[in-house]
Amino acid sequence: MSAAATYDLGKLHGGLRLPAEKSVATAGQILRAPIPDQLVLPLTQHVGNPSQPIVSIGEYVLKGQLIADTDGSLGAPVHASSSGKIIAIEPWPVSRRYGDTAPCIIIECDGQDQAIETSEIIVDYTRLDPDSLLQKILQGGIVGLGGAVFPTAQKLMQAVTAPLDYLILNGVECEPYISCDDMLMREYAHDVLCGAQILMHALGLPHCQVAVESDKPQALIALGEALGEMDDKRIVLKQVPTIYPSGGEDQLVQLVTNKEVPTGGLPTDVGCVVQNVATAAAINRWVSHGEPLICRVTTVTGEGVVKPVNVLVRLGTTVADIITLAGGYTDQANQLVIGGPMTGKSVSTDRVPLVKATNCVLVLVDAIGEANAKPCIRCGECAEVCPIQLLPQQLYWFSCADNEAKLREFGLTDCIECGCCDLVCPSHIALTSDFRMAKGRMRELADEKARAKRARQRFETRNLRVLLEQEQRDEELAAQKETAREIGPEAIRAIVARARKKPAGDQDEDK
Ligand code: SF4
Ligand code: SF4
């Protein structure tokens, strides 16, 4: 390894040391998933508004072709991940936090994997100014692949307006079972580091730190070797302790820089931009090779599959297709989870497609959250492990009472839904899912308030307009009366007398 990794003494509050459960899936190399018969591509694979389809049913599309675009607001384009015919645009089961189905573009693959012409797409990014480079990244449909799926270009656009000191690449994959980033760093280290160079150019930053956990020696070696070949002194590898959830953005900033992101704030408030290593690799694939975000590495694992693996898979491939690559389900398979055991979401069907956010497909034999909850005994264990230093037992109490003011006061919106409090609770209270629902209710309430505010503003604007029109009419009337006064009663009498002298025909003509 040519670049020295350094240990960091930054302190993380709470957290847990969890069993890794990753060794089986990382035993072999990343498998390349074959082209499936059908691809199901949701219009919402990101934070923000759904993308709008720009293709029609029956149309033939090429791999990498834009098939749904943003409406100009927060969002990310969607591209075809293989060639074939659009056979439907309709709701389909998806893995989402809210709602079970979403509109999807369905492609019947022709097996040719015919791609769009890339010669005009590939750019020498060093010739682009930062604004043009950010626009370029936006077109590639790149989103945060660490799980947040926030559109990357828009996150970078927000970041460049702040004074920045650090670009941190997040190679910390602390949740049990998930190993896709570890394998990506081992096998695509060069892509990751080239992505870091592009990001530095876009942000105008002279340094980048790549943070990797101490339990990923092979990833560190691969990155060190690639860095040695590239001979880029601006990039430094940083080894951080293995503790869950050190991969959370705010926690990583603290570990790497010893700076604390303020409550309700962003890493940019302390001069940091954090990007996942897979996002960096995806940026490089798009900018330097013309391939938009159409595939990703996903871990398929758990005791419920025969042979846990990491797979490079086209977005839109269904979970059922991917399970086959892992040797199929075992007889004990009990629960299907999209994501890891701490933050994942259970789904009832394997028809759901893999999307930009899907870092893991986990098949468990013991279902999560089946134990019967008992009353809180106020042991305080949940507060001990909370990395945000919240008081989960208090939050739970306020959530049960539906007390939104107190939930806000006690910082529910800062909860990162890491699941640490659940895991240690001796009463088996499903705190995290309760907090997730409470946050959903708060969002709905906030939306409702915003709608009511807009309606009130519309009403007030209309009243103001009516008032102004009335005032204008009054002023005109007053002006007419004034004119009448100026003419004077003598003049008016003369006008009336002239009118009476006129023949009947003339009067009609005047009408
Ligand atoms: S889920 Fe929320 S409250 Fe519970 S430990 Fe994590 S951050 Fe704290
Ligand atoms: S860990 Fe569970 S029982 Fe203990 S205080 Fe927290 S919610 Fe109550």
Side-chain angles (χ1 to χ4, degrees):
M1 196 166 92
S2 60
T6 56
Y7 285 88
D8 193 271
L9 300 174
K11 285 263 179 346
L12 183 71
H13 181 271
L16 291 168
R17 290 191 192 280
L18 300 171
E21 311 285 2
K22 304 182 192 223
S23 57
V24 188
T26 54
Q29 290 195 316
I30 298 172
L31 291 183
R32 270 72 182 154
I35 305 166
D37 295 337
Q38 187 171 286
L39 290 162
V40 180
L41 291 153
L43 297 173
T44 308
Q45 300 184 47
H46 50 259
V47 170
N49 291 337
S51 299
Q52 303 302 316
I54 57 164
V55 287
S56 319
I57 295 168
E59 196 173 329
Y60 182 79
V61 291
L62 298 171
K63 176 181 167 184
Q65 183 177 329
L66 181 68
I67 55 172
D69 208 352
T70 57
D71 60 4
S73 56
L74 184 67
V78 178
H79 301 79
S81 32
S82 192
S83 57
K85 192 168 86 174
I86 309 285
I87 56 167
I89 301 174
E90 62 185 24
W92 188 277
V94 290
S95 162
R96 285 176 53 189
R97 194 151 282 176
Y98 309 102
D100 293 327
T101 63
C104 294
I105 297 178
I106 300 163
I107 301 173
E108 186 180 65
C109 299
D110 62 3
Q112 303 300 309
D113 216 22
Q114 214 181 330
I116 47 166
E117 178 57 54
T118 56
S119 58
E120 285 182 16
I121 300 173
I122 297 169
V123 292
D124 175 0
Y125 74 87
T126 58
R127 290 173 179 269
L128 293 182
D129 60 66
D131 279 352
S132 310
L133 182 51
L134 292 176
Q135 283 302 328
K136 172 78 187 163
I137 292 171
L138 181 66
Q139 292 159 8
I142 319 284
V143 299
L145 295 181
V149 287
F150 196 92
T152 300
Q154 280 142 333
K155 182 176 174 180
L156 297 173
M157 285 171 191
Q158 286 170 9
V160 288
T161 59
L164 298 174
D165 300 315
Y166 298 94
L167 167 64
I168 302 171
L169 281 204
N170 187 350
V172 177
E173 197 169 39
C174 49
E175 191 164 351
Y177 287 98
I178 307 173
S179 55
C180 54
D181 286 351
D182 184 7
M183 294 304 289
L184 179 99
M185 289 186 283
R186 293 188 202 185
E187 297 190 25
Y188 294 91
H190 197 266
D191 272 339
V192 172
L193 298 175
C194 288
Q197 290 176 324
I198 297 170
L199 282 164
M200 280 191 282
H201 185 76
L203 295 167
L205 275 171
H207 306 292
C208 171
Q209 308 201 36
V210 186
V212 184
E213 282 159 301
S214 49
D215 71 345
K216 297 183 173 47
Q218 285 165 278
L220 275 163
I221 290 169
L223 287 167
E225 283 173 358
L227 200 49
E229 284 164 21
M230 291 163 74
D231 195 24
D232 190 337
K233 303 276 185 294
R234 299 172 305 162
I235 303 175
V236 177
L237 302 184
K238 195 105 178 173
Q239 199 175 63
V240 297
T242 305
I243 186 164
Y244 178 81
S246 53
E249 248 188 27
D250 295 359
Q251 289 67 42
L252 187 60
V253 166
Q254 191 159 4
L255 276 172
V256 173
T257 68
N258 258 332
K259 292 183 180 182
E260 197 169 332
V261 178
T263 301
L266 294 168
T268 47
D269 295 335
V270 290
C272 296
V273 181
V274 183
Q275 290 289 331
N276 177 266
V277 286
T279 311
I283 288 173
N284 183 55
R285 296 293 312 159
W286 167 236
V287 174
S288 306
H289 303 277
E291 182 184 291
L293 183 52
I294 55 170
C295 62
R296 66 158 298 148
V297 181
T298 298
T299 309
V300 189
T301 188
E303 291 75 22
V305 292
V306 174
K307 192 181 178 314
V309 283
N310 274 284
V311 190
L312 181 65
V313 61
R314 286 170 181 76
L315 304 178
T317 306
T318 62
V319 166
D321 285 331
I322 288 305
I323 293 286
T324 310
L325 288 176
Y329 295 107
T330 61
D331 292 342
Q332 296 80 37
N334 185 354
Q335 189 180 25
L336 182 59
V337 176
I338 303 298
M342 304 294 284
T343 59
K345 186 179 184 299
S346 179
V347 288
S348 56
T349 170
D350 59 11
R351 293 176 70 222
V352 299
L354 274 86
V355 293
K356 296 175 184 180
T358 315
N359 53 2
C360 184
V361 174
L362 176 63
V363 187
L364 296 168
V365 292
D366 297 315
I368 302 171
E370 279 193 343
N372 285 332
K374 296 187 177 60
C376 170
I377 55 169
R378 301 231 154 229
C379 64
E381 289 290 320
C382 49
E384 282 287 309
V385 298
C386 178
I388 313 297
Q389 304 187 48
L390 301 175
L391 296 171
Q393 74 276 37
Q394 289 295 118
L395 289 172
Y396 181 65
W397 177 258
F398 296 135
S399 166
C400 291
D402 215 2
N403 189 337
E404 196 216 332
K406 283 287 179 191
L407 285 169
R408 277 196 194 282
E409 186 187 327
F410 278 71
L412 179 67
T413 48
D414 290 334
C415 166
I416 56 170
E417 301 173 19
C418 65
C420 286
C421 50
D422 278 31
L423 211 64
V424 296
C425 177
S427 296
H428 304 295
I429 301 171
L431 296 160
T432 311
S433 63
D434 190 80
F435 298 158
R436 201 173 280 153
M437 283 192 284
K439 282 162 87 175
R441 285 198 301 273
M442 281 165 70
R443 264 195 300 273
E444 275 169 25
L445 209 60
D447 287 351
E448 213 171 285
K449 278 184 185 163
R451 276 198 299 276
K453 190 177 170 191
R454 281 199 297 276
R456 197 172 56 246
Q457 280 170 343
R458 276 199 302 275
F459 178 72
E460 285 170 359
T461 309
R462 181 190 163 279
N463 279 356
L464 187 65
R465 199 190 64 230
V466 169
L467 202 66
L468 286 173
E469 284 171 358
Q470 185 60 50
E471 274 179 14
Q472 199 180 343
R473 276 199 298 275
D474 289 350
E475 275 171 21
E476 283 169 7
L477 207 59
Q480 281 169 12
K481 280 181 184 165
E482 193 61 34
T483 311
R485 261 200 304 278
E486 277 169 15
I487 290 169
E490 280 305 316
I492 292 172
R493 270 197 291 276
I495 292 167
V496 172
R498 270 203 306 278
R500 282 188 183 143
K501 275 184 198 162
K502 277 187 181 180
D506 287 358
Q507 282 184 7
D508 287 346
E509 276 170 23
D510 285 350
K511 279 180 189 171

